[in-house]
Amino acid sequence: MATFPKILVIAIFSMVCSLFWNTNVVDATNTGITRHYKFDIKLQNVTRLCHTKSIVTVNGQFPGPRIVAREGDRLVIKVVNHVRNNISIHWHGIRQLLSGWADGPAYITQCPIQTGQTYVYNFTIIGQRGTLWWHAHISWLRSTLYGPIIILPKRGVPYPFSQPYKEVPLMFGEWWNADPEAVIAQALQTGGGPNVSDAYTINGLPGLLYNCSAKDTFKLSVKPGKTYLLRLINAALNDELFFSIANHTLITVDVDAIYVKPFETNTIIITPGQTTNVLLKTKPYYPNADFLMMARPYVTGNGTFDNSTVAGILHYNHPKQSTKLRVFKPTLPALRDTSFVTNFTSKLRSLANAEYPANVPKNVDKHFFFTIGLGTNPCPKNRTCQGPSNKTMFAAAVNNVSFVMPSKALLQAHFLHQNNGLYSTSFPSSPLIPFNYTGTPPNNTMVIDGTKMVVLPFNTSVELVLQDTSILGAESHPLHLHGLNFYVVGQGFGNFDPNKDPAKYNLVDPVERNTVGVPAGGWVAIRFLADNPGVWFMHCHLEVHTSWGLKMAWVVEDGKHPNQKLPPPPQDLPKC
Ligand SMILES: *[C@@H]1O[C@H](CO)[C@@H](O)[C@H](O)[C@H]1NC(C)=O
Ligand SMILES: *[C@@H]1O[C@H](CO)[C@@H](O)[C@H](O)[C@H]1NC(C)=O
Ligand SMILES: *[C@@H]1O[C@H](CO)[C@@H](O)[C@H](O)[C@H]1NC(C)=O
Ligand SMILES: *[C@@H]1O[C@H](CO)[C@@H](O)[C@H](O)[C@H]1NC(C)=O
Ligand SMILES: *[C@@H]1O[C@H](CO)[C@@H](O)[C@H](O)[C@H]1NC(C)=O
Ligand SMILES: *[C@@H]1O[C@H](CO)[C@@H](O)[C@H](O)[C@H]1NC(C)=O
Ligand SMILES: *[C@@H]1O[C@H](CO)[C@@H](O)[C@H](O)[C@H]1NC(C)=O
Ligand SMILES: *[C@@H]1O[C@H](CO)[C@@H](O)[C@H](O)[C@H]1NC(C)=O
Ligand SMILES: *[C@@H]1O[C@H](CO)[C@@H](O)[C@H](O)[C@H]1NC(C)=O
Ligand SMILES: *[C@@H]1O[C@H](CO)[C@@H](O)[C@H](O)[C@H]1NC(C)=O
Ligand SMILES: *[C@@H]1O[C@H](CO)[C@@H](O)[C@H](O)[C@H]1NC(C)=O
Ligand SMILES: *[C@@H]1O[C@H](CO)[C@@H](O)[C@H](O)[C@H]1NC(C)=O
Ligand SMILES: [Cu+2]
């Protein structure tokens, strides 16, 4: 060994390692290749806003590593838990066709990966290309456990827009100086709202508008006359965000890994859970200026919120720049500018062409009408609470059912026919007690707690109307559906009118996505085909609302054919 040249030893060593992890191995079962990643969940000390703290990370990186793959590739990601917390990782927006065991939400498709345990997520990316992301799906750990998933088109297949010069992921996050696990634990104990975050971040950096953060500013250095593809991801926990770059126009081309008809805008709105790809055309010359890119929240509810602003710098990389540069700031919409949001979302349309069709279900087998919003639970006896009127605890519900996390994974119980009272399939398909959802709130704000699901036969075509309630104030809720993309066929304000509103649906080129903002005091109608057997979580992507119970799950049954059945669980699936 000692006689080997050092370089050769290193070369052989890295070759052997790469055969197993972080490289490409041909997979005979698939048109694409298999890409292996290893995620070591471990603590890392990180300093932001002059506070140093130990955070849970993947491989010591914050934000976590990028996953880059092509449509058709298989991803094999080995997650090893070296921390005290229970962990699970969700591959947000990946369809998980016949691979529901790899979806990740704790107690829905798997038990958590406990300290010292390992689980290998193994799935193929089918029919998707664009930007998605991965994040922890247990408690509030996703505040530091997140990273981009970049899905390139199949080799040789171009984008339906001009090839960008460079591609840059931009992830928005939310930072607490305190431990986010302590923040949500305290809120669930007192029944009040959780402490708001201390900063928003771009790629983990709060930026120069915050105290002692000038050195922690995301900087994008560009050349003139080029087109950049920005892959925007909102990984913030509790806030929808406006984003804009001073003196530059953005062209929206893709949301949630689905191409859309391109349109120009100065500002985008992005809810937690959503992704948006935009083209940024740089100026044809070197301007004598830097341009800030900024994001801050879009606010609808009555609760407290973090009203701060994250900034990054768009910098033109002049080879011999000497003079002092002027700095321009973008103008963002007002915090409560709902008309901007309505205008923006109405422009999102599928390509709906031969190559990228919009397969909107035209005939509906089952209609569902779900109210979503906040409510209350009683304060436990002998305790003081900080929820509404100081006598209650905040809760949140779908059709007034506030979801209670089961003690075992629902998918496993369903697959093995071992329900044993873990869940019921009696989730109401419409509110049991109709009321004026957006009118004067009812006197009784109490929710019903339960673990209830809806069962759908394979290939059911579903229409679901999500209706916001004003029980504790109207509020926008970004609803996320796992395992099944949907088409957004209609939306409006006030109460949904089943006699008039369906006539206005767009069944031609509605946007297809996995997360949709239900308008504050309004409704949204979505359609999807239940073509993927499994248990699929649906929840608000405002983490505080999920914690309060704004979540439920769909059971999609197996179809008749062998390729319509969920295969058995992998051997290493964690147990509870
Ligand atoms: C983080 O910092 C603490 C205190 O300085 C130290 O004890 C600990 O070893 C550090 N942890 C890591 C992962 O570096
Ligand atoms: C991933 O799944 C494929 C298809 O089921 C299987 O062939 C392969 O062995 C699995 N890989 C790992 C590492 O589990
Ligand atoms: C939340 O904020 C309150 C008031 O500032 C503070 O007393 C409390 O310690 C904070 N909770 C956590 C978990 O940081
Ligand atoms: C920033 O620093 C100033 C001066 O030290 C202080 O007054 C202010 O409260 C700080 N702001 C934040 C958000 O910490
Ligand atoms: C940027 O926009 C501002 C306001 O619209 C304008 O006054 C300024 O001249 C622009 N700067 C550059 C370098 O384009
Ligand atoms: C944010 O909220 C604080 C406290 O309510 C207020 O003092 C401050 O002016 C607000 N900042 C902005 C930028 O709106
Ligand atoms: C909608 O946005 C476009 C620009 O993208 C703007 O020209 C138009 O005035 C906006 N309409 C409304 C009603 O705000
Ligand atoms: C309430 O607290 C008192 C005194 O601590 C205790 O005796 C009583 O059993 C408690 N009641 C309930 C319902 O927990
Ligand atoms: C709840 O209690 C806090 C102090 O504990 C008080 O400041 C607040 O006004 C009370 N709110 C209501 C609605 O009673
Ligand atoms: C519901 O309440 C709103 C707001 O008060 C009111 O405008 C509307 O007419 C009510 N709708 C019905 C059906 O009562
Ligand atoms: C609701 O509460 C109000 C005020 O406390 C009362 O006047 C009204 O009768 C109550 N309505 C119902 C249906 O109980
Ligand atoms: C981790 O998950 C297991 C299985 O559900 C549970 O028994 C245990 O209490 C959890 N541990 C922590 C620290 O949450
Ligand atoms: Cu919500």
Side-chain angles (χ1 to χ4, degrees):
M1 191 75 176
T3 59
F4 275 105
K6 202 173 179 181
I7 297 236
L8 185 60
V9 173
I10 292 170
I12 291 171
F13 179 74
S14 52
M15 251 178 68
V16 170
C17 286
S18 64
L19 275 180
F20 292 97
W21 302 115
N22 302 323
T23 189
N24 313 328
V25 179
V26 176
D27 178 353
T29 64
N30 192 33
T31 57
I33 57 174
T34 299
R35 296 173 191 262
H36 293 253
Y37 286 84
K38 190 173 178 210
F39 277 22
D40 280 301
I41 311 293
K42 54 185 190 181
L43 297 177
Q44 179 70 37
N45 289 334
V46 168
T47 304
R48 295 290 186 276
L49 310 174
C50 288
H51 288 253
T52 301
K53 63 172 186 166
S54 169
I55 63 170
V56 184
T57 66
V58 167
N59 301 344
Q61 291 171 246
F62 174 68
R66 272 177 213 183
I67 288 184
V68 183
R70 280 190 191 278
E71 177 183 344
D73 287 353
R74 175 175 292 280
L75 287 172
V76 174
I77 303 149
K78 180 177 184 176
V79 178
V80 187
N81 183 2
H82 304 280
V83 301
R84 298 163 79 103
N85 311 69
N86 283 334
I87 297 291
S88 81
I89 306 283
H90 169 52
W91 318 93
H92 182 113
I94 298 274
R95 288 283 322 269
Q96 299 292 5
L97 287 160
L98 299 178
S99 58
W101 304 109
D103 192 40
Y107 302 106
I108 306 297
T109 61
Q110 67 166 93
C111 296
I113 307 168
Q114 298 184 40
T115 310
Q117 290 181 352
T118 295
Y119 181 47
V120 178
Y121 292 87
N122 182 353
F123 56 89
T124 307
I125 303 169
I126 299 167
Q128 298 183 282
R129 75 298 295 174
T131 306
L132 295 171
W133 57 300
W134 57 265
H135 62 79
H137 213 306
I138 183 164
S139 192
W140 277 25
L141 288 169
R142 76 175 180 85
S143 58
T144 58
L145 284 173
Y146 62 85
I149 302 178
I150 293 164
I151 310 168
L152 303 170
K154 286 185 172 165
R155 195 171 291 283
V157 177
Y159 292 123
F161 43 84
S162 56
Q163 178 69 27
Y165 170 68
K166 281 214 167 119
E167 305 190 1
V168 186
L170 241 77
M171 288 195 94
F172 303 110
E174 211 166 346
W175 174 267
W176 276 261
N177 288 332
D179 173 8
E181 289 299 282
V183 170
I184 184 57
Q186 182 181 45
L188 295 178
Q189 172 70 25
T190 65
N195 289 359
V196 300
S197 52
D198 296 288
Y200 299 102
T201 55
I202 296 177
N203 292 347
L205 302 168
L208 47 87
L209 301 181
Y210 292 98
N211 279 354
C212 95
S213 298
K215 64 177 194 334
D216 294 325
T217 302
F218 172 73
K219 190 170 179 179
L220 177 59
S221 292
V222 295
K223 287 185 177 171
K226 303 281 187 200
T227 300
Y228 292 76
L229 177 67
L230 307 184
R231 297 173 174 272
L232 309 173
I233 301 164
N234 189 350
L237 272 79
N238 297 322
D239 297 84
E240 304 186 30
L241 294 168
F242 292 119
F243 171 76
S244 185
I245 304 180
N247 298 72
H248 288 76
T249 302
L250 306 171
I251 303 171
T252 307
V253 292
D254 180 315
V255 297
D256 294 3
I258 309 285
Y259 296 128
V260 295
K261 292 194 174 85
F263 67 92
E264 283 193 8
T265 185
N266 293 326
T267 301
I268 67 135
I269 172 75
I270 185 166
T271 80
Q274 292 182 335
T275 64
T276 308
N277 283 0
V278 296
L279 297 175
L280 166 71
K281 287 199 165 96
T282 56
K283 296 189 179 300
Y285 55 91
Y286 282 105
N288 211 11
D290 273 344
F291 304 92
L292 294 193
M293 53 180 84
M294 303 197 327
R296 71 163 182 193
Y298 163 53
V299 182
T300 53
N302 295 333
T304 53
F305 61 95
D306 174 359
N307 66 2
S308 66
T309 304
V310 54
I313 298 174
L314 178 69
H315 173 73
Y316 283 75
N317 215 356
H318 196 288
K320 29 186 191 246
Q321 211 151 39
S322 54
T323 50
K324 186 146 172 52
L325 298 173
R326 297 187 63 192
V327 177
F328 292 97
K329 283 187 180 185
T331 311
L332 287 163
L335 292 171
R336 293 183 183 269
D337 193 346
T338 293
S339 68
F340 174 88
V341 174
T342 309
N343 189 359
F344 181 89
T345 51
S346 73
K347 288 187 204 137
L348 294 170
R349 300 296 173 97
S350 292
L351 287 183
N353 58 23
E355 210 170 344
Y356 302 102
N359 296 318
V360 194
K362 297 285 179 347
N363 302 306
V364 174
D365 299 323
K366 283 198 179 163
H367 288 265
F368 295 90
F369 182 81
F370 289 178
T371 60
I372 56 169
L374 304 189
T376 54
N377 266 321
C379 190
K381 291 207 172 60
N382 277 3
R383 287 243 306 270
T384 56
C385 284
Q386 287 167 19
S389 76
N390 282 353
K391 293 194 188 76
T392 62
M393 305 180 87
F394 273 112
V398 182
N399 276 348
N400 212 38
V401 180
S402 189
F403 190 86
V404 174
M405 275 309 209
S407 56
K408 289 182 159 49
L410 295 175
L411 180 58
Q412 213 169 356
H414 160 69
F415 188 87
L416 301 172
H417 307 287
Q418 291 173 349
N419 183 349
N420 297 335
L422 199 65
Y423 64 87
S424 103
T425 52
S426 65
F427 193 92
S429 59
S430 58
L432 298 178
I433 306 171
F435 62 102
N436 186 343
Y437 308 113
T438 53
T440 311
N443 286 6
N444 183 354
T445 60
M446 292 295 166
V447 298
I448 293 162
D449 297 321
T451 308
K452 301 185 182 183
M453 304 204 278
V454 174
V455 178
L456 296 171
F458 184 78
N459 258 352
T460 306
S461 81
V462 172
E463 178 176 308
L464 168 62
V465 175
L466 296 161
Q467 171 74 58
D468 183 35
T469 72
S470 57
I471 295 172
L472 291 178
E475 186 167 0
S476 169
H477 299 276
L479 259 283
H480 172 50
L481 177 59
H482 290 224
L484 303 154
N485 274 358
F486 52 78
Y487 292 92
V488 183
V489 297
Q491 70 170 63
F493 290 98
N495 298 334
F496 172 73
D497 183 339
N499 298 317
K500 290 197 182 131
D501 289 322
K504 292 177 261 173
Y505 284 170
N506 172 10
L507 302 177
V508 178
D509 64 351
V511 68
E512 178 187 347
R513 50 190 333 168
N514 65 58
T515 306
V516 66
V518 179
W523 55 271
V524 64
I526 63 175
R527 285 191 184 180
F528 62 87
L529 185 66
D531 60 356
N532 190 14
V535 172
W536 302 116
F537 207 18
M538 188 175 83
H539 60 93
C540 183
H541 223 284
L542 303 182
E543 213 53 47
V544 53
H545 294 172
T546 307
S547 302
W548 287 340
L550 213 169
K551 50 196 175 189
M552 55 81 67
W554 305 84
V555 181
V556 178
E557 292 176 325
D558 280 350
K560 287 196 180 69
H561 300 289
N563 64 352
Q564 299 172 340
K565 294 184 196 300
L566 180 68
Q571 294 286 311
D572 60 343
L573 185 74
K575 295 184 172 59
C576 292

